[in-house]
Amino acid sequence: MWLSNRRGFLSAALVLAGCGLTPVMEPGLQQLYNQILIQAPVNRAEYELVRNLEAQLGTAKSARFALRYELKVTEDNIVVSAAQEISRYSLVGELEYSLLDSNGSILTRQTAKSFTGYSATGTTVATQQAQRDAYDRLMVILAEQVSRALLTLDLP
């Protein structure tokens, strides 16, 4: 029984190995890594976004490209108790970004969207920390979407 499971696993591995997928960080696909100068942040949320983007894309040593963005985050209350107390909030983030070449020409313009939430059931300090953590999680999600989209671009 164990041997047949092992054979199935090995054959599945062989099929997946031959499917033609290439890793994103293959040497030929690293044309954007450490090549993008990211727009400077103006608030804490943007700072977290830029920090996460630089963790994914590297810091620009020679700026062949520039990344410009506009971040919009809306906060909505989603759970209101019978006593009219808000106990859960939702953060919806929309990031419009453009990748520009050294001449200022737009190579791509896209939008990343996501959401996260936090609870307001604790003390004021706990609620503020939960809000901060939710913003941080949202910036991680948006940065991953942007870096994934940029690293898979087919640029000349």
Side-chain angles (χ1 to χ4, degrees):
M1 181 96 164
W2 182 80
L3 186 58
S4 64
N5 288 340
R6 186 170 149 190
R7 286 183 193 155
F9 174 75
L10 290 175
S11 63
L14 288 174
V15 168
L16 288 176
C19 71
L21 294 176
T22 57
V24 172
M25 295 309 288
E26 182 180 323
L29 297 174
Q30 290 185 6
Q31 61 184 348
L32 291 179
Y33 195 74
N34 287 334
Q35 302 292 320
I36 301 175
L37 180 63
I38 302 170
Q39 173 183 322
V42 295
N43 57 35
R44 187 182 184 288
E46 288 184 6
Y47 170 78
E48 287 297 321
L49 175 70
V50 170
R51 186 176 69 83
N52 286 297
L53 282 170
E54 287 181 345
Q56 300 274 331
L57 300 170
T59 55
K61 294 176 182 160
S62 61
R64 288 182 45 209
F65 304 99
L67 182 70
R68 302 285 176 248
Y69 61 85
E70 184 177 338
L71 176 65
K72 297 175 191 169
V73 179
T74 57
E75 186 170 333
D76 298 321
N77 49 1
I78 56 174
V79 177
V80 180
S81 69
Q84 298 300 312
E85 295 176 354
I86 300 169
S87 61
R88 188 112 179 114
Y89 291 91
S90 173
L91 297 177
V92 179
E94 182 175 332
L95 181 68
E96 295 178 11
Y97 62 95
S98 301
L99 183 67
L100 299 100
D101 64 7
S102 58
N103 299 327
S105 301
I106 296 175
L107 300 173
T108 186
R109 176 177 280 153
Q110 298 182 26
T111 302
K113 296 179 184 179
S114 192
F115 68 94
T116 188
Y118 67 96
S119 180
T121 58
T123 64
T124 303
V125 173
T127 300
Q128 288 174 346
Q129 185 61 43
Q131 180 187 35
R132 188 177 197 171
D133 289 344
Y135 269 92
D136 292 351
R137 285 192 313 273
L138 184 60
M139 296 307 115
V140 168
I141 294 167
L142 292 174
E144 286 177 355
Q145 287 181 9
V146 170
S147 64
R148 188 171 41 241
L150 292 178
L151 287 174
T152 57
L153 283 177
D154 187 24
L155 297 173

